[in-house]
Amino acid sequence: MMASNSKMCYDVGMRCGHPSAHTYGLLLEKEFFMETYNDQLFPPAFLVNYTKEPAGRQRVLTYSLFRFLSCVSEEHPDLAQFLADQVSCPSAEDSFEILEDYLSADDYFSPSIAADGFEPFYLYAAIVLTAGVPFGTTTPVIDSLIEDHAPEAASLPYAAGNLPLDALLVDCRNFYAALCLCLMHHTDALAALLPQFLNAYRPEYHFSCESFVLYDFMDEYFEQHDCLHHPSFVQLTDTLVAATLNYYNTDFGTLLETEIAQNLSGTGSRFAGLKRYGSVRLPAIADTDKACHMLANLFRYAALYELRSHLFDFHLDEDRLITLDNWQTELHWHYVQYANVYQLALDSFQSAALSRELLHRQFLLNLSCLNL
């Protein structure tokens, strides 16, 4: 029942009029490092590097197309049926696996999904429409949708590389339409255009997922591009996770067999209060290896989230400034609360499992309504 890796855990929180299921995904105020709040949500410097490779460009394109389709659907509820006629759809379970694979691919561009409506299908359609499309070529379905529903964005001369997009892109629909066009047809001008997209960005456009802010903070604090793949940072994270597990004298396999199994079956005391509101009993874990991988990534995220709060304190005291060179001697893990990491990771696992189950049901309902 588990997604292929941890991303499904905390970025597919179903929004039922409340914050997403990953309650720890709070936006971090970082004025100490960044001049504007918008930089956190639409980071041009990060996107320039992220989109250098075709896989990165395609992922941002898929995300942007999904946001565009979601915006269009607000005024055109027949959009879902139109898309159903354009995209191939294998068996329902195989189609959902495609959706899961996208959501679990990285820690940046996996959107939260609304609790009702056709957003799961819009994301699936965006994945299918952008899969394997060579950049710089024409994509008839996407081009037609943009021409029909975002004519302002479709008419701009992006190749010029210097446009006042803040005055030209006046709503979310046109913002994402323009970004799709640049990613498909004007990659040479993308680096010059991204700062202009920042000027045009509005917080309500919700460009990036909340988890981006945590990793961006780590990059800024340690002055290291893409900390997630830096060997010393990986060692730091794994050390903190190991210390937490050692403190509780447990491991991922044991947690799955004991406390997590009880929580998923509805017998965990922390979730007993939910029963009177109609709690959902989730299926037993079928793939232990995937579940352990998912749990390991959640513990890493929880450890970094807890560490982040304490790095501010370290930074204020030059004698305790933590770097990727000195953390093994200067970082004392007893400053950080093991219980915070442990509880956050387990609660996130519970939320992830529930989110996955709800998303699965909603996606199948989408396909049924569309006769797919």
Side-chain angles (χ1 to χ4, degrees):
M1 69 173 260
M2 294 302 167
S4 57
N5 73 26
S6 69
K7 194 55 190 168
M8 192 65 180
C9 317
Y10 49 82
D11 274 339
V12 191
M14 308 302 290
R15 298 197 173 189
C16 306
H18 302 285
S20 57
H22 53 290
T23 55
Y24 51 92
L26 304 176
L27 293 177
L28 170 65
E29 293 186 12
K30 286 192 318 173
E31 288 85 354
F32 185 80
F33 295 113
M34 309 188 99
E35 294 182 357
T36 67
Y37 179 77
N38 281 352
D39 282 339
Q40 298 178 18
L41 299 178
F42 191 84
F46 170 80
L47 285 173
V48 169
N49 291 317
Y50 192 89
T51 56
K52 283 181 179 178
E53 299 297 328
R57 290 199 301 272
Q58 180 169 322
R59 187 159 183 84
V60 180
L61 172 61
T62 299
Y63 177 87
S64 300
L65 180 59
F66 162 72
R67 296 308 313 277
F68 169 71
L69 295 175
S70 298
C71 292
V72 172
S73 68
E74 294 176 2
E75 298 179 6
H76 299 275
D78 58 341
L79 176 66
Q81 189 59 60
F82 170 80
L83 291 171
D85 297 334
Q86 308 300 317
V87 301
S88 61
C89 191
S91 71
E93 291 303 325
D94 288 342
S95 298
F96 184 68
E97 186 176 349
I98 292 171
L99 189 62
E100 279 191 306
D101 287 345
Y102 173 84
L103 289 167
S104 63
D106 69 17
D107 297 292
Y108 297 112
F109 299 106
S110 294
S112 293
I113 305 295
D116 52 17
F118 284 91
E119 279 199 347
F121 180 72
Y122 293 142
L123 180 55
Y124 172 80
I127 295 167
V128 173
L129 289 172
T130 57
V133 175
F135 289 93
T137 63
T138 299
T139 309
V141 175
I142 300 177
D143 286 347
S144 176
L145 285 167
I146 292 176
E147 289 173 3
D148 291 343
H149 299 291
E152 299 93 334
S155 64
L156 296 178
Y158 299 103
N162 186 18
L163 297 171
L165 296 183
D166 56 330
L168 299 172
L169 305 177
V170 296
D171 55 32
C172 185
R173 182 180 70 254
N174 278 281
F175 179 88
Y176 282 107
L179 191 54
C180 285
L181 291 172
C182 291
L183 288 163
M184 287 191 300
H185 305 303
H186 304 287
T187 54
D188 291 343
L190 192 60
L193 286 168
L194 284 174
Q196 299 304 317
F197 274 99
L198 173 61
N199 293 335
Y201 178 77
R202 303 292 180 270
E204 60 269 21
Y205 296 173
H206 302 301
F207 176 75
S208 63
C209 57
E210 288 90 337
S211 59
F212 168 80
V213 180
L214 173 62
Y215 300 122
D216 187 47
F217 167 80
M218 294 297 174
D219 289 353
E220 293 284 350
Y221 184 90
F222 289 110
E223 298 180 345
Q224 175 65 49
H225 170 65
D226 196 13
C227 261
L228 286 181
H229 297 98
H230 190 281
S232 183
F233 186 78
V234 172
Q235 184 184 7
L236 163 62
T237 308
D238 290 346
T239 299
L240 299 182
V241 171
T244 302
L245 293 174
N246 289 339
Y247 181 81
Y248 284 95
N249 191 28
T250 189
D251 54 52
F252 298 131
T254 301
L255 285 173
L256 289 174
E257 294 174 359
T258 56
E259 187 167 356
I260 288 176
Q262 293 173 359
N263 291 343
L264 294 184
S265 66
T267 61
S269 60
R270 292 207 312 279
F271 303 100
L274 298 177
K275 292 182 179 179
R276 63 181 179 271
Y277 298 104
S279 61
V280 177
R281 178 168 293 184
L282 298 171
I285 296 170
D287 192 328
T288 302
D289 289 341
K290 284 186 178 180
C292 282
H293 185 69
M294 178 176 172
L295 190 59
N297 281 314
L298 277 174
F299 263 87
R300 293 187 189 102
Y301 191 98
L304 291 179
Y305 190 79
E306 174 70 7
L307 175 64
R308 184 209 69 189
S309 301
H310 296 269
L311 285 176
F312 277 118
D313 296 333
F314 291 132
H315 193 83
L316 293 175
D317 185 343
E318 290 296 329
D319 293 334
R320 296 193 303 169
L321 182 65
I322 305 300
T323 70
L324 291 181
D325 295 322
N326 73 7
W327 69 266
Q328 290 176 302
T329 56
E330 298 300 322
L331 177 61
H332 303 291
W333 188 225
H334 65 266
Y335 291 142
V336 185
Q337 297 299 311
Y338 293 108
N340 292 348
V341 177
Y342 185 80
Q343 294 297 110
L344 178 56
L346 294 190
D347 288 351
S348 298
F349 192 97
Q350 169 82 5
S351 298
L354 177 60
S355 292
R356 192 271 184 195
E357 194 69 13
L358 294 174
L359 180 64
H360 185 216
R361 294 180 185 183
Q362 186 176 340
F363 182 70
L364 295 183
L365 180 61
N366 286 173
L367 299 186
S368 176
C369 293
L370 298 170
N371 298 316
L372 291 175

